[in-house]
Amino acid sequence: MPGLDPLNGGSTGPLGRQRKAGVLRGKTWLWALATTAATPFPAAAQAVAQLAPNLSVGTLEVIQLSIFAGIMGAAFVSAIWLIRQRARIAAENGELRTRVAELSGALGRSEALLNLKDQRTVVWSAAADRPAIVGDLPVGSGAPEERSAFLAFGRWLMPRSASAIDRAVEALRETGENFDLAVETRTGTVLEAQGRKSAQHTALRFVSLSASQQELGRLKLDQQALLADRENIFGLIDALDMPFWLRDKAGQLSWVNKAFAGAVDAADSAAVTAERREFLPTAAREEITNRHREASDVYKQSLSAVVRGERRVFAVTDYAGTSGSAGIAADISEIEAIRREHESTLQSHAETLDQLTTAVAIFDEGQKLRFFNQSFQKLWDLDTPFLESAPENALLLDRLRSDGTLAEQPEWRRWKEALLSAYRGVKPQEHWWHLPDGRTIRVIANPQPRGGVTWVFENLTEKLDLESRYNAAMRVQGETLDNLAEGVAVFGADGRLRLSNPAFQTLWNLPEMLIAPGAHIADIRAVCDPLAKSSPWAAFVASVTGFDDERRNQHGQVELANGTVLSHATIHLPNGQVMMTFVDVTDSVNVERALKEKNDALQKADKLKNDFVQHVSYELRSPLTNIIGFTELLTQPDTGPLTQRQRDYLDHIGSSSSVLLTVVNDILDLATVDAGIMELEIGEVRVGDMVSTAAGLIAERLREHDIHLEIDMDDAALTFHADENRVRQVLFNLLSNAANYAPENSTIVMTVRWRDNAVEFRVHDDGPGMAPDVLETIFRRFEPRVNGGRKRGAGLGLSIVKSFVELHGGSVDIETGEGRGTTVTCRFPSAPTQARAAAE
């Protein structure tokens, strides 16, 4: 502020300094005049003389006098002016002193006001970057006293208020935009923030408010927050690609977003409201209005609308308030299409699963049953209402346990918890259940991504039984081949050995390396050619590796250098394989040569042996392999679904396969019996189960001819010790023989009795009976007899019966006669002590 200069009696301000400079200039001028007046006259005269040499002396004196007079007048005038100027300056200095005193008082009052405890001001000057802080706020306001902490607004103000202050101060300092805001501290106190800017300063003042002002400030804060939220919400809504609209009380559009404008092909939102373009059709708007009139505030429905020439499906949500309504439409056309496709896919999967023979059940994340196919219901024999009630998995397990379907576990709860742990797992689990009724179930639990589990129950009982029977048949076949005197070798299409028996190695004297699987026929030929007088191996190689369109079987004999005569046969098998058989007929050939006329019996035996070879090698094995091959081909999934005709063909193939399999099994069994190597698998046999199984095998044939089977047993639970498979085969052959000769619409009676510590099976049919000459040859092999029967078989049925019964130590009796039918009785001891070979 300007002050007073006590030495010069003037002000130190700009006006005082100007006045001081004028006084100094006046004093300097007076000093110059005084100096001139004090100059000695002669010198002045001399100066005048130098200036005007032509002037006279009197004139010079006059001039000097005039000059002196002028100087004195100017001095008096200057003195008078200086006196008046000094008086005026003194008056001005007095005024200035008064003004300074007033300003000092105002400054003191301002500082006193600024230092009040209810406000604090931050001032930024134009020249200084460091702001000044004046005043204080109440202690309970939450504003820190320390300067740097106070300037960090984010530390003591709420985040929203701090952000608003920062933006407002930045706008104030850059553009001079004044502001008045209500801000909230972190302690919950509301302050008023005022921003002002002058030419040289920028000020931010925080003012503490009274209770009423606090309430008003909070209302202002709420308004600011609402305005900010409204701006954000409207900005977000305008950026959405879903049409949004607001309507007034009259139902007219008051605001729409850009997506709405684009949907109705309008330039902008203003054009939509001005032209009143509607997004939804009239019927849809009327439905929404009617729904709101029914006191329903919210309307939710899927509606269709045409957008850019394409009909789309929208999920419309409309809310009606007291002053209008608001709505939004989400395009769900693609979602609807996906949902329909998903439902169609689920329906297709359900129909597909319903056709499977494998049981499938799907449980959701709550372990409730949501889907099951027919195979699942049939497997567990559960009623449909129970399954459709969506039972929990644990309840279903308890139901199966109570019904006796599941096997009892030592620790049921722990077993069930371990099983249900699949709902918490991520990898499939596999379990094997052995049910009390003898079934074996393979259980697969496949967890679903959403927490459910798909359970697959595969009944492997029949498969395991077939595998067991197949393995047993393969073992029997291997044992049969290994013990046959006939040499057998099977080659693949590549000419490599697949199978051979010891007789083949012995007959051709082959080393071990050439009988191993994988040996090539060319290497075998190189060893065998020198052994034969006229080697047939060239033809063998041509049959195995040739490409002839017609594959013909071949038969012949070859004489080796050592005198051995071998009978050979080449038989073509499926998949390009070739089987060669070699029989040592040296003895028969020698006897034929030496005793041709007297050795008819030997020729008959030789013919019987040749017939046996032909039956096993060609008549039985070749059709069997063909039928089995084509049956396997038809059952492959690659062949696709079967038509009714194809299923009929498959049934015929299965029937033929069953017949041929029976014949082959009979031949192999007889060969094993003849070789004396058959071993019975003695075990406990339940008569009732075995009779039921045998009856089931012949049931289709009986139904074909309307023949009824009557079974009479003392006790179905009767048991005895025997080879169950062989006894079942005996009963099947007895029933097959009876079904072949029993007339249509007749009854076959099977009687089971326990007599003399033996089980007696008696089968009676009302057929034509047997003549005495037929009865004498009834147990001979390969002598089929029609005798009124429907089918001509291989003549092995009763031979097999007699051989197996005698192996068990039992006996077979036949009672027959014309008009009395035929009754075959087989007796099995309760516990055979030995197994002996059957008579040929």
Side-chain angles (χ1 to χ4, degrees):
M1 295 180 62
L4 298 178
D5 188 354
L7 297 178
N8 297 318
S11 172
T12 61
L15 183 59
R17 287 195 294 271
Q18 292 176 1
R19 291 176 179 176
K20 183 178 180 181
V23 172
L24 291 175
R25 285 194 298 271
K27 289 182 178 181
T28 302
W29 184 62
L30 290 176
W31 180 80
L33 288 177
T35 303
T36 303
T39 301
F41 184 79
Q46 186 178 359
V48 173
Q50 291 178 356
L51 293 173
N54 296 325
L55 297 177
S56 61
V57 175
T59 305
L60 290 174
E61 293 176 352
V62 173
I63 293 173
Q64 290 178 352
L65 182 60
S66 299
I67 292 173
F68 179 78
I71 291 172
M72 290 301 293
F76 281 115
V77 172
S78 299
I80 293 170
W81 180 82
L82 285 174
I83 292 172
R84 296 180 64 181
Q85 188 71 17
R86 184 180 182 88
R88 187 179 65 188
I89 291 173
E92 291 180 355
N93 285 338
E95 294 178 357
L96 290 175
R97 288 189 185 95
T98 303
R99 180 63 178 166
V100 167
E102 292 177 353
L103 291 175
S104 297
L107 178 60
R109 290 191 299 272
S110 299
E111 290 180 351
L113 292 174
L114 290 175
N115 288 324
L116 294 176
K117 293 297 184 179
D118 60 351
Q119 61 180 355
R120 198 170 193 184
T121 305
V122 183
V123 181
W124 289 271
S125 63
D129 294 335
R130 182 180 178 84
I133 302 177
V134 181
D136 291 301
L137 291 171
V139 178
S141 64
E145 293 291 338
E146 200 270 327
R147 171 192 177 86
S148 59
F150 182 80
L151 292 177
F153 302 131
R155 295 184 180 179
W156 58 279
L157 290 178
M158 297 298 289
R160 185 189 295 271
S161 299
S163 177
I165 284 292
D166 290 338
R167 291 196 302 268
V169 170
E170 183 179 359
L172 176 66
R173 299 187 66 181
E174 292 182 358
T175 63
E177 181 180 353
N178 297 335
F179 64 86
D180 289 282
L181 296 175
V183 297
E184 184 180 5
T185 67
R186 292 186 180 271
T187 61
T189 304
V190 180
L191 304 176
E192 183 178 4
Q194 301 172 351
R196 301 292 184 269
K197 185 174 183 179
S198 63
Q200 300 294 328
H201 299 87
T202 301
L204 169 63
R205 185 174 67 166
F206 294 93
V207 181
S208 177
L209 303 177
S210 62
S212 59
Q213 291 174 332
Q214 286 270 347
E215 184 66 26
L216 180 60
R218 290 191 180 277
L219 293 177
K220 291 177 66 176
L221 283 174
D222 294 341
Q223 182 188 17
Q224 293 172 11
L226 290 175
L227 290 176
D229 292 341
R230 182 180 185 277
E231 181 182 358
N232 293 334
I233 291 174
F234 271 79
L236 174 62
I237 292 174
D238 205 34
L240 292 177
D241 58 355
M242 296 180 288
F244 181 88
W245 60 88
L246 292 176
R247 297 182 186 273
D248 54 18
K249 287 184 177 181
Q252 302 297 329
L253 292 173
S254 59
W255 185 85
V256 298
N257 64 350
K258 294 179 181 179
F260 190 105
V264 297
D265 297 328
D268 52 21
S269 300
V272 175
T273 56
E275 300 174 7
R276 295 184 178 180
R277 296 189 182 185
E278 292 289 351
F279 169 72
L280 296 175
T282 305
R285 298 198 306 274
E286 292 178 352
E287 182 181 352
I288 294 174
T289 303
N290 295 333
R291 183 69 63 85
H292 290 329
R293 289 175 181 174
E294 296 174 359
S296 177
D297 296 338
V298 180
Y299 171 86
K300 290 184 179 181
Q301 191 65 40
S302 296
L303 301 174
S304 62
V306 178
V307 178
R308 299 181 183 89
E310 183 180 357
R311 182 165 294 278
R312 311 285 293 178
V313 179
F314 293 88
V316 177
T317 303
D318 193 274
Y319 173 78
T322 57
S323 59
S325 63
I328 190 171
D331 190 351
I332 58 173
S333 301
E334 296 181 359
I335 297 177
E336 284 293 316
I338 294 174
R339 183 183 61 80
R340 289 192 297 269
E341 183 179 356
H342 177 66
E343 291 178 353
S344 176
T345 302
L346 289 180
Q347 182 65 24
S348 177
H349 287 176
E351 293 176 355
T352 301
L353 293 176
D354 223 20
Q355 301 299 322
L356 294 179
T357 57
T358 302
V360 179
I362 300 176
F363 291 80
D364 60 11
E365 61 277 7
Q367 301 187 17
K368 291 185 176 295
L369 180 63
R370 294 305 178 191
F371 173 81
F372 62 92
N373 61 355
Q374 295 182 3
S375 299
F376 178 82
Q377 182 180 7
K378 294 179 180 178
L379 176 66
W380 303 114
D381 193 22
L382 296 171
D383 52 293
T384 303
F386 171 74
L387 295 176
E388 291 181 350
S389 65
E392 293 185 356
N393 203 339
L395 178 61
L396 180 63
L397 294 175
D398 292 337
R399 169 72 179 272
L400 295 178
R401 179 194 181 191
S402 62
D403 292 345
T405 305
L406 287 181
E408 191 66 34
Q409 302 296 327
E411 297 184 11
W412 171 258
R413 180 176 298 178
R414 181 176 297 179
W415 179 85
K416 185 170 63 174
E417 290 178 354
L419 187 68
L420 297 180
S421 64
Y423 290 92
R424 301 184 298 273
V426 295
K427 295 183 178 180
Q429 299 180 7
E430 182 177 357
H431 307 275
W432 289 83
W433 293 356
H434 301 283
L435 305 184
D437 58 2
R439 292 181 296 175
T440 300
I441 307 298
R442 178 172 175 252
V443 182
I444 300 175
N446 187 20
Q448 299 177 359
R450 295 185 178 181
V453 174
T454 299
W455 295 89
V456 179
F457 303 89
E458 187 177 0
N459 190 351
L460 299 181
T461 306
E462 184 177 356
K463 178 181 177 182
L464 295 176
D465 181 62
L466 290 176
E467 288 182 355
S468 176
R469 294 170 60 185
Y470 173 78
N471 293 333
M474 291 300 296
R475 289 194 300 269
V476 171
Q477 179 182 0
E479 292 293 334
T480 302
L481 290 177
D482 289 344
N483 289 278
L484 283 178
E486 176 185 5
V488 179
V490 178
F491 293 89
D494 56 355
R496 299 198 175 273
L497 184 65
R498 296 285 189 270
L499 175 68
S500 65
N501 65 346
F504 174 73
Q505 179 186 10
T506 302
L507 292 175
W508 288 99
N509 194 22
L510 296 174
E512 292 291 338
M513 60 179 298
L514 291 182
I515 62 170
H520 200 274
I521 190 173
D523 298 332
I524 298 176
R525 175 190 175 184
V527 175
C528 295
D529 276 345
L531 301 179
K533 295 181 179 180
S534 178
S535 177
W537 280 95
F540 294 163
V541 173
S543 298
V544 172
T545 61
F547 297 94
D548 296 338
D549 294 336
E550 184 178 1
R551 306 174 68 198
R552 295 183 178 179
N553 299 333
Q554 300 177 1
H555 302 271
Q557 285 187 356
V558 60
E559 184 176 355
L560 304 183
N562 60 4
T564 302
V565 178
L566 300 179
S567 175
H568 61 79
T570 303
I571 302 171
H572 293 274
L573 303 176
N575 301 325
Q577 296 183 347
V578 176
M579 180 178 68
M580 290 182 291
T581 61
F582 301 91
V583 179
D584 186 355
V585 294
T586 305
D587 295 338
S588 61
V589 170
N590 291 335
V591 171
E592 183 182 2
R593 292 173 181 174
L595 304 172
K596 185 175 181 180
E597 296 179 355
K598 298 181 180 180
N599 202 9
D600 293 336
L602 182 59
Q603 290 181 358
K604 187 175 182 180
D606 186 51
K607 183 177 181 302
L608 177 62
K609 185 177 294 185
N610 290 336
D611 290 340
F612 169 77
V613 172
Q614 290 178 0
H615 275 286
V616 172
S617 302
Y618 180 76
E619 293 295 333
L620 298 179
R621 292 184 179 179
S622 181
L624 177 60
T625 53
N626 289 334
I627 291 173
I628 293 175
F630 284 114
T631 303
E632 292 178 353
L633 180 62
L634 288 175
T635 56
Q636 294 297 321
D638 296 339
T639 58
L642 298 176
T643 64
Q644 183 60 40
R645 179 174 294 179
Q646 290 171 340
R647 285 194 292 269
D648 293 338
Y649 290 165
L650 187 60
D651 292 338
H652 290 307
I653 293 173
S655 300
S656 299
S657 176
S658 178
V659 172
L660 289 178
L661 181 61
T662 302
V663 174
V664 170
N665 288 337
D666 291 345
I667 293 175
L668 293 178
D669 290 340
L670 287 175
T672 306
V673 171
D674 292 343
I677 59 174
M678 174 170 283
E679 296 180 0
L680 297 177
E681 298 179 1
I682 304 300
E684 188 177 44
V685 180
R686 294 180 62 89
V687 176
D689 294 343
M690 186 180 56
V691 170
S692 298
T693 303
L697 296 175
I698 199 66
E700 184 63 28
R701 188 172 175 184
L702 296 177
R703 283 193 297 269
E704 182 180 356
H705 300 288
D706 294 329
I707 299 175
H708 177 68
L709 175 61
E710 181 179 336
I711 300 176
D712 182 14
M713 290 188 293
D714 289 337
D715 186 2
L718 184 66
T719 61
F720 69 105
H721 289 80
D723 189 331
E724 183 176 358
N725 292 330
R726 302 308 177 188
V727 176
R728 186 188 301 113
Q729 190 173 354
V730 168
L731 297 181
F732 174 77
N733 287 343
L734 291 178
L735 292 175
S736 297
N737 186 72
N740 189 40
Y741 291 97
E744 295 186 356
N745 298 321
S746 64
T747 300
I748 297 176
V749 179
M750 173 181 282
T751 304
V752 183
R753 293 288 185 269
W754 181 267
R755 293 183 179 179
D756 300 331
N757 201 25
V759 180
E760 183 180 279
F761 297 91
R762 177 175 297 180
V763 178
H764 172 77
D765 64 84
D766 296 328
M770 303 180 190
D773 57 336
V774 175
L775 185 60
E776 293 178 358
T777 62
I778 193 64
F779 293 113
R780 294 181 183 177
R781 305 171 189 176
F782 306 116
E783 290 190 11
R785 295 158 294 277
V786 177
N787 195 31
R790 296 180 182 86
K791 296 182 179 180
R792 181 182 178 89
L796 297 175
L798 293 179
S799 298
I800 290 290
V801 169
K802 187 174 186 298
S803 297
F804 286 167
V805 172
E806 292 180 351
L807 273 176
H808 283 81
S811 61
V812 180
D813 295 328
I814 297 180
E815 299 176 6
T816 184
E818 295 183 3
R820 294 189 295 117
T822 301
T823 301
V824 181
T825 302
C826 298
R827 295 181 182 87
F828 290 88
S830 60
T833 56
Q834 61 180 358
R836 57 188 181 84
E840 295 185 358

